[in-house]
Amino acid sequence: MNPIKFSEQHQWLCLNEELVIVGITEYAIVHLGDVVFIEFFHLSDIVSEGDELVVIESEKVVSSVLAPMSGKILEVNQMLLLEPEKIMQDPLGQGWLFKLSPDNLEQFGDYMDEETYQKFIS
């Protein structure tokens, strides 16, 4: 299985060879509530760490997803534009947000493992 890490912004990052797949955690989904709209920015662009890449609108709140590291966006999950509820149904699978080719792959190691993330959210 590919390694998965977690950020303090409740993102999951999955290392798949030279790219990082990014989504939001189940914890984030629970706190967002029913997702009704997802918008992507910087499609196929070079991005810097901290750039706003995705806006997720739920019945409760509008939330931004930021680039966890600098690099090039290779793909966004177009399915979520038509079916934003998929992010709630399968956040660690079909609910992924984007794929990133990072400038510095070593940054992946800076994020929390699952045990550390579980302590962080409790």
Side-chain angles (χ1 to χ4, degrees):
M1 184 168 166
N2 294 330
I4 295 180
K5 298 281 192 163
F6 299 88
S7 76
E8 291 182 358
Q9 291 74 38
H10 308 292
Q11 297 172 331
W12 58 264
L13 298 87
C14 179
L15 182 60
N16 187 350
E17 296 181 18
E18 296 291 312
L19 65 91
V20 176
I21 303 168
V22 180
I24 60 172
T25 65
E26 291 180 33
Y27 178 87
I29 295 293
V30 167
H31 287 82
L32 281 173
D34 290 337
V35 174
V36 295
F37 180 75
I38 295 177
E39 182 177 8
F40 293 101
F41 302 112
H42 303 291
L43 306 176
S44 300
D45 278 351
I46 303 295
V47 296
S48 296
E49 183 176 347
D51 284 354
E52 182 180 42
L53 299 182
V54 184
V55 169
I56 300 173
E57 184 177 333
S58 72
E59 292 179 346
K60 293 181 184 179
V61 68
V62 175
S63 182
S64 294
V65 177
L66 309 178
M69 52 188 77
S70 298
K72 179 173 176 51
I73 300 298
L74 300 176
E75 184 180 354
V76 298
N77 190 346
Q78 297 285 340
M79 176 185 62
L80 295 178
L81 297 174
L82 301 173
E83 300 176 79
E85 66 277 3
K86 291 284 186 195
I87 199 168
M88 299 178 304
Q89 296 165 355
D90 189 15
L92 290 170
Q94 291 184 356
W96 62 273
L97 293 170
F98 55 89
K99 296 179 181 178
L100 174 73
S101 175
D103 290 344
N104 181 0
L105 199 53
E106 291 180 9
Q107 279 185 289
F108 182 80
D110 296 342
Y111 289 93
M112 294 179 267
D113 61 21
E114 186 167 6
E115 182 180 341
T116 305
Y117 180 70
Q118 291 301 321
K119 289 178 184 173
F120 174 75
I121 61 175
S122 62

